[in-house]
Amino acid sequence: MKIALIQTNPLIGDFTANCEKIARSASRAKEAGCELAIFPELAIAGYPPQDLLERGSFLADHDLALTELIAGIRGIGIITGAITRHTAECGKPLHNSAVFFKDGRILATAHKRLLPTYDVFDEARYFEPGSRSTTIQFIGKTIALSICEDIWNDKDTSARPLYNLDPLPELISPAGGKANLLVNLAASPFRHGKIIEKHRMFRNICRKYDTPLLYVNQVGGQDSLLFDGHSLAMDRSGEVRHMAAGFTEDMLVIDSEELVGGTGENIIPEPDNLADVHAALVMGTRDYLGKCGFKTGIIGLSGGIDSALTAAIACEALGQRNITGVALPSRYSSAESVEDAQRLAENLGIDFEILPIEDIFRVQLETLAPLLGELHQDITEQNLQARIRGNLLMAISNRRGSMLLSTGNKSELAVGYCTLYGDMSGGLAVISDVPKGMVYDLARYVNRSREIIPARTIEKPPSAELAPNQLDQDDLPPYEVLDPVVKAWLEENRSISEIVASGYDRNIVSDIIRRIRRNEYKRKQAPMGLKVTSKAFGYGRRYPTAENYRERE
């Protein structure tokens, strides 16, 4: 049987466009001789729809879209993710389902059994878990239907299974006979390192159950979540026979017989690398602005590496004609920084403006003097400059209808080395989940073919240039210390004592953790950022702002 695996980039709630995309892709698959086409989890609604699932009108429109989709596609079997109703008298009112239909008739409906509630996921808030596994006979094959998390609880690959239930044994070896194909519809977000982790888990499942796997993943940016696609067909020995492109819509056409036979060329996936992170950030920037109705972006260019990387990503995402860089020098800005900002703009081919802030800064200092006295060399003076810049950039954004992209990295955001209503202003924080060390790595990746980010920008010591001769290292631990401590505490949930035991000074570690806790209020007001690590600042991290917990050291 020829089967099409089709990864789509939906827009949440745009049922017409999403269903048209499914119908067009199904037609292409039919023309390619396919008898079955498989689409991602919740492909009709888009994932995750969040509290839209509580609106009756949203659900009614989804029901109508699903009905029309089923009636409109002929001559090919379709498996697609969809919302269905849970009709029992108690429990959540909805199911996250896989609907299998052909020629106007539903052949099977499978409900997701394992509903994740960790990190960015909150599916138990809306959905009732399925009570049984679903298999179906289709053109001589026994197909086992599963949805994303349903295959993530295998005890052999999970350090600590999160659920008491593992649907796989029942799903793949039901009472009626062994499944020939395991199908998994997914909306699995990207994070650095996850692709290889998934492949390791999938390989173990295929070998353990002697069953091929067809995995179809959503692609595209949805708010802070980035879906990488990379749909695949894996044979029963756990070898990848076909894999879709990453970070773009794609269709794979496979023959089920080559998967059962376990013969043919093996595709060895590359480890997650900087190219994946870069592609994810470009896709996320393009989709966030595009899906929110913006065509152009504004960036404040300081001559530093963070704004340079942000500009390079934005330029690739939206095109050079749609990005404007603005330098806003103050009395503390070096001539070299303005030169580096201009050179970057020339290398990218974007519009560039210089808007000095000295006069505004001087007037504000004079206005505040009667109340605050001398502000020289004070943090207040530094924040004034950042807020002037944020105010002016937002004014340009308002007038031009462009989105302001903020440029802070994860290391700075973690310890509050940023100014609320200043450099934190903007509609999207492109690199807010990128640690400073990775910022440098990505900058060098951007320059892999030619110099785009000026070499001096990469080589010079980082500085906010808000005070005379200021350097980041005067106010922060070295980034080669800060980054691993932030990762250990934030992403790995290690204690202060554990971090110290790994070789870091206790006083430095305690100070970093103190800064992280103290600046929670800033992050609550930060613009949305694009998630590329296992734990980002955003709605996947739920920490109270007012709290007084102290670890015993």
Side-chain angles (χ1 to χ4, degrees):
M1 175 169 48
K2 289 184 72 174
I3 304 172
L5 313 183
I6 304 170
Q7 59 189 39
T8 56
N9 183 351
L11 175 56
I12 288 177
D14 194 341
F15 300 119
T16 299
N18 295 344
C19 286
E20 286 177 352
K21 187 172 292 188
I22 292 172
R24 287 196 306 269
S25 299
S27 178
R28 287 176 52 219
K30 181 180 174 182
E31 291 173 359
C34 295
E35 297 162 290
L36 177 63
I38 307 174
F39 295 87
E41 178 180 9
L42 295 188
I44 296 171
Y47 186 96
Q50 297 181 297
D51 280 3
L52 283 171
L53 292 169
E54 297 177 349
R55 301 193 66 83
S57 59
F58 180 87
L59 297 174
D61 288 344
H62 178 280
D63 290 347
L64 178 61
L66 175 59
T67 299
E68 293 177 346
L69 188 70
I70 292 171
I73 299 178
R74 300 285 165 160
I76 186 172
I78 301 293
I79 304 175
T80 187
I83 302 162
T84 61
R85 306 298 181 116
H86 177 224
T87 57
E89 293 184 356
C90 65
K92 300 296 171 62
L94 306 172
H95 288 296
N96 180 344
S97 303
V99 178
F100 193 154
F101 63 89
K102 184 180 180 184
D103 294 335
R105 186 167 66 93
I106 295 177
L107 306 180
T109 301
H111 305 313
K112 191 173 184 176
R113 303 193 66 185
L114 304 183
L115 303 177
T117 57
Y118 54 86
D119 194 39
V120 298
F121 304 105
D122 203 6
E123 292 193 29
R125 177 183 176 98
Y126 312 102
F127 297 115
E128 182 72 11
S131 59
R132 61 181 178 82
S133 295
T134 301
T135 59
I136 182 173
Q137 297 288 327
F138 186 72
I139 312 183
K141 298 293 182 185
T142 301
I143 299 174
L145 299 177
S146 65
I147 302 173
C148 206
E149 192 86 354
D150 289 345
I151 67 172
W152 279 76
N153 203 48
D154 182 77
K155 60 182 178 62
D156 294 331
T157 52
S158 299
R160 178 183 173 87
L162 297 179
Y163 312 90
N164 293 322
L165 169 69
D166 180 5
L168 280 174
E170 174 190 343
L171 181 64
I172 296 180
S173 300
K178 186 175 182 302
N180 303 120
L181 289 173
L182 171 61
V183 170
N184 187 256
L185 281 58
S188 180
F190 169 82
R191 61 171 165 78
H192 191 217
K194 188 177 180 180
I195 295 173
I196 294 301
E197 178 185 327
K198 284 195 294 187
H199 284 205
R200 187 181 302 116
M201 179 186 67
F202 294 165
R203 184 180 304 111
N204 179 74
I205 289 170
C206 291
R207 291 175 178 175
K208 181 176 181 178
Y209 295 100
D210 192 34
T211 304
L213 168 68
L214 304 180
Y215 167 77
V216 186
N217 191 27
Q218 179 173 300
V219 71
Q222 177 53 50
D223 292 351
S224 64
L225 299 184
L226 309 176
F227 297 90
D228 59 285
H230 284 123
S231 303
L232 60 82
M234 188 174 277
D235 69 24
R236 63 184 186 180
S237 66
E239 305 295 346
V240 178
R241 298 301 178 193
H242 302 272
M243 186 164 62
F247 310 103
T248 187
E249 292 184 319
D250 198 11
M251 181 175 80
L252 290 178
V253 175
I254 64 106
D255 189 330
S256 62
E257 293 308 309
E258 67 177 290
L259 305 180
V260 175
T263 60
E265 182 182 359
N266 177 36
I267 299 173
I268 301 175
E270 294 183 3
D272 297 42
N273 51 32
L274 288 172
D276 288 327
V277 176
H278 180 263
L281 293 170
V282 170
M283 177 192 71
T285 302
R286 179 188 301 119
D287 278 2
Y288 186 71
L289 269 69
K291 291 179 179 181
C292 291
F294 288 84
K295 296 180 180 179
T296 57
I298 302 288
I299 302 171
L301 297 182
S302 67
I305 193 168
D306 295 324
S307 62
L309 176 61
T310 302
I313 291 169
C315 191
E316 186 164 342
L318 302 176
Q320 60 186 177
R321 295 182 179 180
N322 296 316
I323 299 297
T324 298
V326 183
L328 301 105
S330 75
R331 64 182 65 172
Y332 302 119
S333 301
S334 67
E336 289 80 6
S337 291
V338 178
E339 291 171 3
D340 290 343
Q342 185 163 3
R343 186 173 297 111
L344 170 75
E346 291 170 353
N347 292 346
L348 290 172
I350 64 175
D351 289 338
F352 178 69
E353 303 290 343
I354 299 177
L355 192 62
I357 67 168
E358 178 59 31
D359 290 345
I360 301 174
F361 182 38
R362 177 177 46 78
V363 169
Q364 289 198 3
L365 290 175
E366 293 171 354
T367 302
L368 287 166
L371 289 177
L372 303 183
E374 185 76 24
L375 295 182
H376 184 63
Q377 300 282 331
D378 185 86
I379 188 66
T380 308
E381 181 190 50
Q382 296 184 32
N383 287 339
L384 270 178
Q385 297 167 72
R387 291 188 176 117
I388 291 168
R389 289 175 174 136
N391 192 28
L392 294 177
L393 288 168
M394 283 303 304
I396 299 170
S397 169
N398 291 160
R399 176 56 61 89
R400 297 186 179 182
S402 298
M403 181 175 287
L404 175 59
L405 303 178
S406 67
T407 61
N409 61 66
K410 186 174 189 175
S411 307
E412 295 172 346
L413 192 62
V415 295
Y417 197 63
C418 46
T419 302
L420 202 57
Y421 322 123
D423 58 318
M424 294 177 69
S425 298
L428 179 68
V430 175
I431 61 170
S432 65
D433 197 35
V434 180
K436 188 72 169 189
M438 188 182 288
V439 168
Y440 281 99
D441 293 338
L442 286 168
R444 296 184 185 98
Y445 176 80
V446 168
N447 284 1
R448 64 194 181 279
S449 299
R450 65 181 180 91
E451 183 177 284
I452 296 175
I453 297 175
R456 186 166 60 185
T457 296
I458 299 174
E459 294 165 359
K460 66 186 178 185
S463 171
E465 293 194 331
L466 297 172
N469 303 313
Q470 184 182 44
L471 295 176
D472 288 7
Q473 65 188 27
D474 297 333
D475 301 307
L476 299 175
Y479 285 112
E480 57 267 24
V481 173
L482 177 60
D483 283 358
V485 171
V486 170
K487 180 178 181 180
W489 193 80
L490 176 68
E491 299 180 35
E492 300 169 359
N493 287 314
R494 295 168 66 186
S495 68
I496 292 176
S497 296
E498 289 173 327
I499 299 171
V500 171
S502 65
Y504 296 95
D505 179 86
R506 180 175 293 275
N507 291 331
I508 293 177
V509 172
S510 297
D511 181 60
I512 292 172
I513 304 308
R514 178 188 62 83
R515 293 185 190 218
I516 294 174
R517 294 177 60 254
R518 188 179 66 183
N519 287 284
E520 191 68 39
Y521 77 99
K522 285 188 180 181
R523 294 187 292 270
K524 288 289 197 300
Q525 301 176 70
M528 182 175 294
L530 302 177
K531 183 179 186 296
V532 296
T533 70
S534 61
K535 181 66 71 174
F537 295 114
Y539 73 87
R541 180 179 181 272
R542 304 175 188 182
Y543 265 69
T545 303
E547 55 89 14
N548 195 33
Y549 173 68
R550 299 293 187 274
E551 289 185 12
R552 294 181 181 178
E553 299 185 33

